[in-house]
């Protein structure tokens, strides 16, 4: 029987267990969006995870979506992240950097007065944007011009290079949860009529171009992708999500990526089985998994590892607690995740 405590070959990397630390944003970075000592200590305390995936790091100043979140677009941030990775590696841990662009899920106050960008000028109607002192309704974003899309792909390329300089073990491209890449994937937020809109191939082009430039920096066995097929954050809608995610999974499989992390709680409408069938790499399950459900999912072959977010925030010693059969501390449902 497969256990959470069993090792796992994840692409090029052998993990010592199948307990993944999911990204959980604590809004800790100090000035300049640079990871500080608090963030370094936070991840070092959780280095016993088979793999840590960091909170989302914006690939550019115009990709920000929340106050306090870190970046990966300049050398100061590289040095801050380097201190994080060194602390994790000193404890025998593995750590991937999550690369991210918020797209329309932002506000001019977070972007030095610039308007948020998106595939189409369609505002997010679900929720509000957290800005420095308050929350505000999402603004109508500016539709990206083709040359600007190419610039953002280049931003991901540079961020992938910076992640190598910071000595991460790999990267995860954030293509879910209603942020920019996800906005391109869904026809409810992407009404473009050019090569980046319309057909499945066109709507997935942005994601695949980003992955292809990242593959030019990292081996495919050190790259993962985060997906959220249910589209239940930030007003994601699609006319045929099953076809969309089957297409995505097949394209990711062609590229022989290390893993897909799928944030989707179990249910009759879940598309995780579609991803499992079409993608041959490791599948990391996330959302709504307690220890018992996680063990059952691994034993049944639904996935290869399970990612815990809030549970890891409140239990730095989560791996030890699971190994010793101890109960976990209760989680605060308000803990932000990104």
């Amino acid at each position: 029987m497969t256990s959470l405590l069993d090792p796992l070959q994840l692409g090029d990397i052998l993990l010592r267990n199948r307990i993944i630390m999911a990204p959980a944003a604590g809004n800790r970075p100090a000035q300049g969006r640079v990871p500080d000592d608090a963030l370094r200590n936070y991840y070092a305390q959780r280095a016993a995870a088979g793999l840590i995936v960091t909170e989302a790091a914006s690939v550019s100043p115009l990709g920000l979506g929340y106050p306090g979140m870190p970046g990966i677009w300049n050398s100061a941030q590289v040095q801050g992240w380097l201190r994080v990775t060194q602390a994790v590696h000193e404890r025998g841990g593995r750590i991937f950097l999550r690369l991210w662009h918020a797209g329309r899920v932002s506000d001019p106050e977070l972007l030095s007065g610039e308007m948020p960008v998106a595939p189409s000028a369609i505002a997010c109607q679900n929720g509000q944007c957290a800005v420095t002192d308050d929350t505000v309704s999402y603004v109508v974003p500016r539709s990206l011009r083709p040359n600007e899309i190419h610039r953002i792909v280049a931003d991901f390329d540079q961020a992938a290079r910076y992640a190598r300089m910071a000595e991460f073990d790999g990267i995860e491209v954030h293509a879910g949860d209603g942020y920019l890449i996800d906005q391109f994937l869904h026809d409810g937020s992407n009404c473009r009529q050019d090569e980046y809109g319309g057909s499945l191939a066109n709507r997935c082009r942005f994601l695949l171009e980003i992955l292809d430039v990242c593959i030019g920096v990292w081996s495919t066995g050190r790259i993962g992708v985060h997906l959220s097929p249910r589209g239940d954050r930030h007003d994601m809608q699609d006319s045929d999500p099953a076809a969309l995610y089957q297409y995505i999974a097949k394209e990711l499989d062609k590229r022989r990526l290390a893993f897909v992390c799928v944030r989707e709680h179990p249910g009759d409408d879940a598309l995780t089985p579609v991803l499992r069938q079409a993608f041959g790499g490791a599948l990391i399950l996330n959302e709504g998994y307690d220890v018992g459900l996680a063990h059952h999912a691994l034993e049944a072959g639904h996935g290869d590892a399970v990612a815990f977010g809030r549970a890891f925030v409140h239990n730095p010693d989560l791996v030890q607690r699971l190994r010793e059969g101890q109960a976990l501390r209760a989680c605060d449902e308000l803990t932000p995740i990104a």
Side-chain angles (χ1 to χ4, degrees), residues 25 27 33 56-71 73 100-111 116 128-132 134-136 138 179-180 183 234 338:
N27 293 341
R33 305 281 181 166
S58 180
V59 300
S60 77
L62 294 180
L64 296 167
Y66 298 93
M69 292 187 70
W73 67 76
W100 172 78
H101 191 299
R104 71 181 188 179
V105 186
S106 189
D107 187 83
E109 186 170 338
L110 298 170
L111 307 176
Q128 292 183 305
C129 184
V131 293
T132 305
D134 205 352
T135 56
V136 297
Y138 291 109
Y179 299 117
L180 184 62
Q183 293 158 27
H234 298 127

Side-chain angles (χ1 to χ4, degrees), residues 73-270:
W73 67 76
N74 63 40
S75 57
Q77 293 162 350
V78 171
Q79 291 304 308
W81 281 119
L82 181 59
R83 290 188 287 273
V84 172
T85 61
Q86 289 174 339
V88 170
H89 290 153
E90 286 171 1
R91 299 193 180 193
R94 299 285 199 172
I95 182 168
F96 276 39
L97 181 64
R98 168 178 273 193
L99 304 183
W100 172 78
H101 191 299
R104 71 181 188 179
V105 186
S106 189
D107 187 83
E109 186 170 338
L110 298 170
L111 307 176
S112 300
E114 297 285 337
M115 290 299 293
V117 296
S120 302
I122 301 172
C124 176
Q125 301 295 329
N126 185 3
Q128 292 183 305
C129 184
V131 293
T132 305
D133 299 316
D134 205 352
T135 56
V136 297
S137 297
Y138 291 109
V139 299
V140 176
R142 181 174 61 80
S143 178
L144 284 161
R145 296 183 290 273
N147 67 306
E148 293 177 309
I149 296 173
H150 301 156
R151 178 65 255 175
I152 294 174
V153 172
D155 289 337
F156 274 89
D157 183 14
Q158 182 61 70
R161 296 175 191 278
Y162 279 148
R164 286 204 68 165
M165 292 172 62
E167 299 183 4
F168 280 92
D169 296 294
I171 57 172
E172 182 195 69
V173 174
H174 195 348
D177 298 346
Y179 299 117
L180 184 62
I181 297 175
D182 209 15
Q183 293 158 27
F184 271 88
L185 298 177
H186 288 79
D187 59 20
S189 50
N190 183 351
C191 299
R192 300 179 72 93
Q193 309 249 329
D194 61 6
E195 62 181 336
Y196 291 97
S199 68
L200 285 175
N202 283 356
R203 285 185 278 128
C204 294
R205 188 183 306 277
F206 182 51
L207 166 61
L208 299 178
E209 287 184 348
I210 288 170
L211 289 174
D212 288 341
V213 298
C214 290
I215 289 169
V217 178
W218 293 86
S219 71
T220 58
R222 291 178 180 265
I223 299 174
V225 173
H226 174 86
L227 300 172
S228 51
R230 196 171 266 117
D232 53 359
R233 285 187 185 167
H234 298 127
D235 202 20
M236 287 292 96
Q237 302 172 37
D238 193 81
S239 59
D240 193 348
L244 171 62
Y245 282 94
Q246 183 177 58
Y247 181 88
I248 293 170
K250 288 180 177 179
E251 288 297 320
L252 301 184
D253 187 62
K254 289 178 185 177
R255 288 160 174 79
R256 303 181 66 83
L257 299 187
F259 69 86
V260 168
C261 182
V262 52
R263 184 191 64 75
E264 182 182 60
H265 61 266
D268 293 340
D269 61 340

